[in-house]
Protein backbone atom coordinates (compact mmCIF):
# COMPACT_ATOMS: atom_id res chain seq x y z
CA UNK A 1 0.00 0.00 0.00
CA UNK A 2 2.80 2.39 0.97
CA UNK A 3 4.62 1.63 -2.30
CA UNK A 4 1.45 2.36 -4.28
CA UNK A 5 1.12 5.74 -2.60
CA UNK A 6 4.75 6.57 -3.41
CA UNK A 7 4.28 5.57 -7.06
CA UNK A 8 1.09 7.63 -7.36
CA UNK A 9 2.83 10.61 -5.78
CA UNK A 10 5.71 10.34 -8.26
CA UNK A 11 3.29 10.10 -11.17
CA UNK A 12 1.51 13.22 -9.92
CA UNK A 13 4.82 15.11 -9.67
CA UNK A 14 5.83 14.02 -13.18
CA UNK A 15 2.42 15.05 -14.51
CA UNK A 16 2.65 18.44 -12.79
CA UNK A 17 6.11 19.08 -14.24
CA UNK A 18 4.80 18.24 -17.70
CA UNK A 19 2.05 20.79 -17.31
CA UNK A 20 4.33 23.61 -16.23
CA UNK A 21 7.48 23.44 -18.38
CA UNK A 22 6.81 26.04 -21.05
CA UNK A 23 10.29 25.68 -22.54
CA UNK A 24 9.15 22.31 -23.95
CA UNK A 25 5.96 24.01 -25.14
CA UNK A 26 7.87 26.73 -26.99
CA UNK A 27 10.15 24.22 -28.70
CA UNK A 28 7.15 22.57 -30.37
CA UNK A 29 5.49 25.93 -31.08
CA UNK A 30 8.66 27.15 -32.81
CA UNK A 31 8.29 24.25 -35.24
CA UNK A 32 4.61 25.16 -35.69
CA UNK A 33 5.61 28.75 -36.51
CA UNK A 34 8.23 27.55 -38.98
CA UNK A 35 5.70 25.47 -40.93
CA UNK A 36 3.02 28.16 -40.61
CA UNK A 37 5.17 30.78 -42.31
CA UNK A 38 6.32 28.34 -44.99
CA UNK A 39 2.61 27.66 -45.72
CA UNK A 40 2.49 24.04 -44.59
CA UNK A 41 -0.59 24.45 -42.40
CA UNK A 42 -1.10 20.71 -41.93
CA UNK A 43 2.30 20.26 -40.27
CA UNK A 44 1.86 23.56 -38.46
CA UNK A 45 -1.41 22.35 -36.91
CA UNK A 46 0.29 19.12 -35.87
CA UNK A 47 3.06 20.94 -33.96
CA UNK A 48 0.65 23.42 -32.40
CA UNK A 49 -1.32 20.48 -30.99
CA UNK A 50 1.83 18.79 -29.68
CA UNK A 51 2.81 22.06 -27.97
CA UNK A 52 -0.65 22.61 -26.50
CA UNK A 53 -0.65 19.08 -25.04
CA UNK A 54 2.35 19.97 -22.86
CA UNK A 55 0.73 22.83 -20.90
CA UNK A 56 -2.55 23.85 -19.30
CA UNK A 57 -2.79 27.29 -20.93
CA UNK A 58 -1.59 28.10 -24.45
CA UNK A 59 -0.35 31.55 -25.47
CA UNK A 60 -2.98 33.75 -27.13
CA UNK A 61 -0.93 34.43 -30.23
CA UNK A 62 -0.37 30.70 -30.77
CA UNK A 63 -4.07 29.93 -30.44
CA UNK A 64 -4.82 32.60 -33.02
CA UNK A 65 -2.36 31.13 -35.55
CA UNK A 66 -3.71 27.68 -34.73
CA UNK A 67 -7.23 28.87 -35.57
CA UNK A 68 -5.97 29.85 -39.04
CA UNK A 69 -4.61 26.31 -39.49
CA UNK A 70 -7.94 24.85 -38.41
CA UNK A 71 -9.90 27.09 -40.76
CA UNK A 72 -7.74 26.14 -43.74
CA UNK A 73 -7.73 22.45 -42.78
CA UNK A 74 -11.54 22.29 -42.83
CA UNK A 75 -12.11 22.42 -39.06
CA UNK A 76 -13.91 25.73 -39.21
CA UNK A 77 -16.29 25.32 -36.27
CA UNK A 78 -13.33 24.67 -34.00
CA UNK A 79 -11.50 27.70 -35.44
CA UNK A 80 -14.46 29.98 -34.72
CA UNK A 81 -14.70 28.76 -31.11
CA UNK A 82 -11.11 29.94 -30.60
CA UNK A 83 -11.77 33.26 -32.35
CA UNK A 84 -14.78 33.91 -30.10
CA UNK A 85 -12.43 34.42 -27.13
CA UNK A 86 -9.03 35.29 -28.61
CA UNK A 87 -7.14 38.50 -27.92
CA UNK A 88 -6.14 38.98 -31.59
CA UNK A 89 -9.50 38.36 -33.28
CA UNK A 90 -10.65 41.96 -33.25
CA UNK A 91 -7.30 43.18 -34.56
CA UNK A 92 -7.49 40.87 -37.55
CA UNK A 93 -11.11 41.53 -38.46
CA UNK A 94 -11.13 45.28 -37.75
CA UNK A 95 -8.27 45.79 -40.17
CA UNK A 96 -10.06 43.66 -42.75
CA UNK A 97 -7.06 41.35 -42.83
CA UNK A 98 -8.99 38.17 -43.42
CA UNK A 99 -6.87 36.64 -46.16
CA UNK A 100 -6.14 33.64 -43.95
CA UNK A 101 -9.85 32.96 -43.46
CA UNK A 102 -10.81 32.07 -47.00
CA UNK A 103 -14.53 32.44 -47.86
CA UNK A 104 -15.52 33.68 -44.40
CA UNK A 105 -18.81 35.59 -44.62
CA UNK A 106 -19.49 39.12 -43.40
CA UNK A 107 -22.25 37.72 -41.18
CA UNK A 108 -19.89 35.26 -39.47
CA UNK A 109 -17.27 37.99 -38.97
CA UNK A 110 -19.90 40.23 -37.35
CA UNK A 111 -21.18 37.51 -35.02
CA UNK A 112 -17.65 36.45 -34.03
CA UNK A 113 -16.53 40.04 -33.37
CA UNK A 114 -19.57 40.63 -31.15
CA UNK A 115 -18.94 37.51 -29.06
CA UNK A 116 -15.25 38.32 -28.88
CA UNK A 117 -15.89 41.90 -27.78
CA UNK A 118 -18.20 40.83 -24.95
CA UNK A 119 -15.74 38.22 -23.73
CA UNK A 120 -12.71 40.53 -23.77
CA UNK A 121 -14.64 43.41 -22.17
CA UNK A 122 -15.18 41.32 -19.06
CA UNK A 123 -11.48 40.41 -19.01
CA UNK A 124 -10.31 43.98 -19.55
CA UNK A 125 -12.66 45.36 -16.90
CA UNK A 126 -11.27 42.85 -14.43
CA UNK A 127 -7.72 44.01 -15.16
CA UNK A 128 -8.62 47.69 -15.05
CA UNK A 129 -10.03 47.19 -11.56
CA UNK A 130 -6.90 45.43 -10.35
CA UNK A 131 -4.62 47.54 -8.15
CA UNK A 132 -1.71 45.29 -9.09
CA UNK A 133 -1.96 45.91 -12.82
CA UNK A 134 -2.58 49.61 -12.22
CA UNK A 135 0.66 49.69 -10.25
CA UNK A 136 2.53 48.16 -13.18
CA UNK A 137 1.06 50.72 -15.57
CA UNK A 138 2.13 53.57 -13.26
CA UNK A 139 5.69 52.22 -13.18
CA UNK A 140 5.75 51.99 -16.99
CA UNK A 141 4.47 55.58 -17.34
CA UNK A 142 7.12 56.96 -14.94
CA UNK A 143 9.86 55.11 -16.80
CA UNK A 144 8.61 56.21 -20.21
CA UNK A 145 8.20 59.89 -19.32
CA UNK A 146 11.68 60.37 -17.82
CA UNK A 147 13.31 58.61 -20.79
CA UNK A 148 11.30 60.74 -23.18
CA UNK A 149 12.78 63.84 -21.54
CA UNK A 150 16.26 62.36 -21.75
CA UNK A 151 15.93 61.55 -25.45
CA UNK A 152 14.53 64.98 -26.28
CA UNK A 153 17.80 66.51 -25.03
CA UNK A 154 20.14 63.88 -26.48
CA UNK A 155 18.50 64.10 -29.90
CA UNK A 156 18.53 67.89 -30.05
CA UNK A 157 21.25 69.83 -31.85
CA UNK A 158 24.50 70.10 -29.90
CA UNK A 159 24.22 73.87 -29.52
CA UNK A 160 20.82 73.50 -27.86
CA UNK A 161 21.82 70.77 -25.42
CA UNK A 162 21.76 71.73 -21.76
CA UNK A 163 24.50 69.69 -20.06
CA UNK A 164 23.25 70.52 -16.57
CA UNK A 165 19.72 69.47 -17.43
CA UNK A 166 21.01 66.30 -19.08
CA UNK A 167 22.97 65.40 -15.94
CA UNK A 168 19.92 66.10 -13.78
CA UNK A 169 17.65 63.92 -15.91
CA UNK A 170 20.26 61.13 -16.04
CA UNK A 171 20.40 61.13 -12.24
CA UNK A 172 16.60 61.16 -12.09
CA UNK A 173 16.44 58.16 -14.45
CA UNK A 174 18.74 56.18 -12.17
CA UNK A 175 16.68 57.05 -9.11
CA UNK A 176 13.34 56.25 -10.77
CA UNK A 177 14.66 52.98 -12.19
CA UNK A 178 16.02 51.98 -8.78
CA UNK A 179 12.68 52.80 -7.10
CA UNK A 180 10.75 50.94 -9.81
CA UNK A 181 12.75 47.78 -9.30
CA UNK A 182 12.29 47.92 -5.53
CA UNK A 183 8.53 47.90 -6.20
CA UNK A 184 8.87 45.18 -8.86
CA UNK A 185 10.90 42.99 -6.50
CA UNK A 186 8.11 43.10 -3.94
CA UNK A 187 5.52 42.26 -6.64
CA UNK A 188 7.62 39.43 -8.06
CA UNK A 189 8.25 37.98 -4.61
CA UNK A 190 4.51 37.71 -4.00
CA UNK A 191 3.07 36.98 -7.46
CA UNK A 192 5.96 35.93 -9.68
CA UNK A 193 6.62 37.56 -13.05
CA UNK A 194 3.46 39.05 -14.54
CA UNK A 195 3.55 38.25 -18.24
CA UNK A 196 3.27 35.35 -20.68
CA UNK A 197 0.06 33.47 -20.02
CA UNK A 198 -1.05 36.24 -17.61
CA UNK A 199 -2.63 38.37 -20.34
CA UNK A 200 -1.97 41.13 -21.40
CA UNK A 201 0.90 42.66 -19.43
CA UNK A 202 3.83 41.79 -21.65
CA UNK A 203 4.52 45.08 -23.45
CA UNK A 204 4.86 47.57 -20.54
CA UNK A 205 6.65 45.12 -18.25
CA UNK A 206 9.07 43.87 -20.90
CA UNK A 207 9.96 47.49 -21.72
CA UNK A 208 10.73 48.22 -18.06
CA UNK A 209 12.88 45.08 -17.87
CA UNK A 210 15.11 46.43 -20.63
CA UNK A 211 16.31 49.04 -18.13
CA UNK A 212 17.19 46.59 -15.37
CA UNK A 213 20.70 46.94 -14.01
CA UNK A 214 23.48 44.41 -14.58
CA UNK A 215 23.42 43.67 -10.85
CA UNK A 216 19.66 43.08 -10.82
CA UNK A 217 19.82 40.63 -13.74
CA UNK A 218 22.74 38.73 -12.22
CA UNK A 219 20.90 38.45 -8.91
CA UNK A 220 17.61 37.33 -10.52
CA UNK A 221 18.73 35.00 -13.34
CA UNK A 222 17.47 31.91 -11.51
CA UNK A 223 14.11 33.61 -10.81
CA UNK A 224 13.73 34.62 -14.47
CA UNK A 225 14.53 31.09 -15.67
CA UNK A 226 11.95 29.65 -13.25
CA UNK A 227 9.29 32.08 -14.50
CA UNK A 228 10.19 31.17 -18.08
CA UNK A 229 9.44 27.52 -17.32
CA UNK A 230 6.13 28.50 -15.69
CA UNK A 231 5.02 30.38 -18.82
CA UNK A 232 4.98 33.75 -17.06
CA UNK A 233 7.97 35.01 -19.04
CA UNK A 234 8.38 34.65 -22.80
CA UNK A 235 11.67 33.32 -24.23
CA UNK A 236 12.14 36.54 -26.22
CA UNK A 237 11.91 38.63 -23.03
CA UNK A 238 14.28 36.36 -21.13
CA UNK A 239 16.80 36.49 -24.01
CA UNK A 240 16.47 40.28 -24.32
CA UNK A 241 17.18 40.84 -20.62
CA UNK A 242 20.24 38.54 -20.68
CA UNK A 243 21.63 40.11 -23.86
CA UNK A 244 20.98 43.60 -22.53
CA UNK A 245 23.10 42.73 -19.48
CA UNK A 246 25.95 41.52 -21.72
CA UNK A 247 25.63 44.64 -23.88
CA UNK A 248 26.02 46.87 -20.85
CA UNK A 249 28.94 44.84 -19.49
CA UNK A 250 30.96 44.11 -22.62
CA UNK A 251 29.43 45.76 -25.68
CA UNK A 252 27.43 44.57 -28.70
CA UNK A 253 29.78 41.86 -29.91
CA UNK A 254 28.99 39.71 -26.87
CA UNK A 255 25.33 39.14 -27.81
CA UNK A 256 24.38 35.60 -26.77
CA UNK A 257 20.89 35.31 -28.31
CA UNK A 258 21.24 37.97 -31.05
CA UNK A 259 18.82 40.33 -29.28
CA UNK A 260 21.19 43.31 -28.87
CA UNK A 261 23.83 43.63 -31.52
CA UNK A 262 24.75 40.76 -33.80
CA UNK A 263 25.99 37.26 -33.08
CA UNK A 264 29.59 36.81 -34.21
CA UNK A 265 28.96 34.28 -36.99
CA UNK A 266 32.69 33.65 -37.31
CA UNK A 267 32.80 32.07 -33.85
CA UNK A 268 29.20 30.87 -33.37
CA UNK A 269 28.01 28.03 -35.62
CA UNK A 270 24.37 27.33 -36.53
CA UNK A 271 24.52 24.25 -34.28
CA UNK A 272 25.69 26.32 -31.30
CA UNK A 273 23.04 28.97 -31.90
CA UNK A 274 20.28 26.38 -32.26
CA UNK A 275 21.37 24.77 -28.97
CA UNK A 276 21.33 28.14 -27.19
CA UNK A 277 17.90 29.03 -28.54
CA UNK A 278 16.46 25.58 -27.89
CA UNK A 279 17.64 25.65 -24.26
CA UNK A 280 15.19 28.47 -23.47
CA UNK A 281 12.52 27.85 -26.12
CA UNK A 282 13.59 30.81 -28.27
CA UNK A 283 12.80 30.52 -31.97
CA UNK A 284 15.93 29.70 -33.98
CA UNK A 285 14.04 30.45 -37.19
CA UNK A 286 12.60 33.92 -36.66
CA UNK A 287 13.66 36.91 -34.60
CA UNK A 288 11.76 38.55 -31.74
CA UNK A 289 8.91 39.72 -34.04
CA UNK A 290 7.52 36.15 -33.90
CA UNK A 291 5.98 36.80 -30.50
CA UNK A 292 3.63 39.33 -32.10
CA UNK A 293 1.20 38.80 -34.95
CA UNK A 294 3.07 39.92 -38.08
CA UNK A 295 1.38 41.46 -41.08
CA UNK A 296 -0.85 38.95 -42.77
CA UNK A 297 0.86 37.19 -45.64
CA UNK A 298 4.25 38.44 -44.45
CA UNK A 299 6.91 36.24 -42.87
CA UNK A 300 8.53 37.58 -39.69
CA UNK A 301 12.16 38.68 -39.92
CA UNK A 302 14.41 35.66 -40.23
CA UNK A 303 16.90 34.72 -37.53
CA UNK A 304 20.60 34.79 -38.25
CA UNK A 305 20.98 31.16 -39.43
CA UNK A 306 17.53 30.72 -40.98
CA UNK A 307 18.83 29.70 -44.41
CA UNK A 308 20.98 26.94 -42.86
CA UNK A 309 17.99 25.49 -41.01
CA UNK A 310 15.81 25.85 -44.10
CA UNK A 311 18.25 23.83 -46.21
CA UNK A 312 18.57 21.19 -43.49
CA UNK A 313 14.79 20.77 -43.26
CA UNK A 314 14.50 20.49 -47.03
CA UNK A 315 17.20 17.82 -46.98
CA UNK A 316 15.51 15.92 -44.14
CA UNK A 317 12.14 15.99 -45.96
CA UNK A 318 13.70 14.52 -49.12
CA UNK A 319 14.87 11.39 -47.29
Amino acid sequence: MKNCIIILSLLYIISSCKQTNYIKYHREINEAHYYFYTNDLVLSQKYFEIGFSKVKTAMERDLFLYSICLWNNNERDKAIRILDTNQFTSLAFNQNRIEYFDNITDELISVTKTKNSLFLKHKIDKLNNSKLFKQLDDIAIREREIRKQYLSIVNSSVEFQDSNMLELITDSMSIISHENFIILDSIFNEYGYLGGTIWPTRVPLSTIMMHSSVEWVEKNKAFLKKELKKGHLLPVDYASVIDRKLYREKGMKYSFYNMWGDINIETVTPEVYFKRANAIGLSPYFDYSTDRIPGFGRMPDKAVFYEKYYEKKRSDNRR
Side-chain angles (χ1 to χ4, degrees):
M1 182 67 179
K2 185 177 179 181
N3 287 339
C4 289
I5 292 171
I6 291 171
I7 291 169
L8 288 172
S9 298
L10 287 172
L11 288 173
Y12 175 78
I13 291 168
I14 292 168
S15 175
S16 298
C17 291
K18 173 188 173 185
Q19 294 298 326
T20 55
N21 192 342
Y22 274 81
I23 293 176
K24 293 180 180 179
Y25 164 87
H26 287 297
R27 288 172 185 161
E28 303 297 343
I29 296 302
N30 290 335
E31 298 301 313
H33 287 167
Y34 171 84
Y35 288 111
F36 182 91
Y37 290 111
T38 53
N39 292 318
D40 189 336
L41 299 187
V42 172
L43 267 180
S44 181
Q45 178 176 333
K46 172 189 170 183
Y47 280 103
F48 274 126
E49 289 169 353
I50 294 172
F52 296 162
S53 72
K54 295 183 179 298
V55 295
K56 292 178 180 177
T57 305
M59 302 289 174
E60 287 283 307
R61 132 240 50 197
D62 299 328
L63 285 167
F64 179 76
L65 296 179
Y66 176 58
S67 75
I68 295 170
C69 294
L70 291 171
W71 182 269
N72 286 277
N73 294 334
N74 295 316
E75 295 186 60
R76 298 189 169 185
D77 288 344
K78 194 173 177 182
I80 290 298
R81 285 198 296 274
I82 292 173
L83 293 172
D84 282 343
T85 60
N86 192 267
Q87 175 186 344
F88 295 100
T89 301
S90 179
L91 175 67
F93 289 162
N94 282 343
Q95 295 180 356
N96 294 318
R97 290 173 167 177
I98 56 174
E99 294 94 330
Y100 284 157
F101 298 96
D102 187 40
N103 295 324
I104 192 168
T105 65
D106 290 340
E107 181 183 2
L108 185 53
I109 289 174
S110 178
V111 170
T112 304
K113 282 171 62 177
T114 300
K115 288 183 180 179
N116 181 265
S117 178
L118 290 171
F119 178 83
L120 292 186
K121 183 180 184 304
H122 171 72
K123 206 168 187 180
I124 291 168
D125 287 345
K126 188 175 179 180
L127 286 175
N128 287 340
N129 292 326
S130 165
K131 291 181 181 179
L132 180 61
F133 287 92
K134 178 67 165 58
Q135 196 173 19
L136 287 176
D137 284 341
D138 289 343
I139 290 173
I141 290 168
R142 288 181 71 204
E143 188 86 38
R144 185 169 61 247
E145 289 304 313
I146 192 66
R147 292 187 185 279
K148 193 185 296 182
Q149 293 178 45
Y150 172 79
L151 290 173
S152 69
I153 295 176
V154 171
N155 294 333
S156 63
S157 300
V158 176
E159 62 267 26
F160 294 111
Q161 287 186 5
D162 186 331
S163 58
N164 292 330
M165 181 61 73
L166 183 60
E167 184 179 351
L168 180 63
I169 290 177
T170 302
D171 289 343
S172 297
M173 277 195 333
S174 297
I175 293 169
I176 287 173
S177 185
H178 180 68
E179 290 174 349
N180 282 345
F181 275 89
I182 289 174
I183 298 170
L184 284 176
D185 279 339
S186 67
I187 292 173
F188 292 161
N189 285 338
E190 186 170 355
Y191 300 99
Y193 191 91
L194 298 174
T197 53
I198 307 175
W199 180 91
T201 64
R202 180 196 174 264
V203 174
L205 189 51
S206 61
T207 302
I208 296 168
M209 295 302 294
M210 288 304 96
H211 304 299
S212 54
S213 67
V214 168
E215 295 76 19
W216 189 91
V217 176
E218 188 62 37
K219 178 183 173 183
N220 289 280
K221 278 171 71 174
F223 162 74
L224 293 172
K225 190 69 174 287
K226 182 178 73 173
E227 295 302 293
L228 174 64
K229 288 182 178 179
K230 286 182 178 179
H232 298 167
L233 179 64
L234 294 174
V236 64
D237 291 334
Y238 177 86
S240 294
V241 170
I242 298 301
D243 268 9
R244 183 69 168 173
K245 171 183 177 288
L246 289 173
Y247 167 77
R248 288 183 167 182
E249 282 182 316
K250 302 179 179 181
M252 278 193 175
K253 66 179 180 178
Y254 289 94
S255 179
F256 196 78
Y257 296 110
N258 216 47
M259 294 286 120
W260 293 88
D262 297 320
I263 285 278
N264 187 342
I265 60 174
E266 295 178 2
T267 59
V268 179
T269 65
E271 291 75 21
V272 167
Y273 182 71
F274 189 93
K275 189 175 181 179
R276 288 179 183 179
N278 207 40
I280 63 168
L282 185 70
S283 174
Y285 307 115
F286 305 112
D287 77 359
Y288 60 88
S289 64
T290 318
D291 72 305
R292 304 176 182 89
I293 300 298
F296 283 73
R298 179 169 60 82
M299 185 181 284
D301 294 335
K302 298 172 183 176
V304 59
F305 293 114
Y306 175 86
E307 299 302 332
K308 294 284 185 182
Y309 300 141
Y310 176 71
E311 286 302 319
K312 185 177 186 309
K313 281 187 175 290
R314 286 185 62 195
S315 176
D316 289 344
N317 289 338
R318 285 196 294 266
R319 290 174 187 173

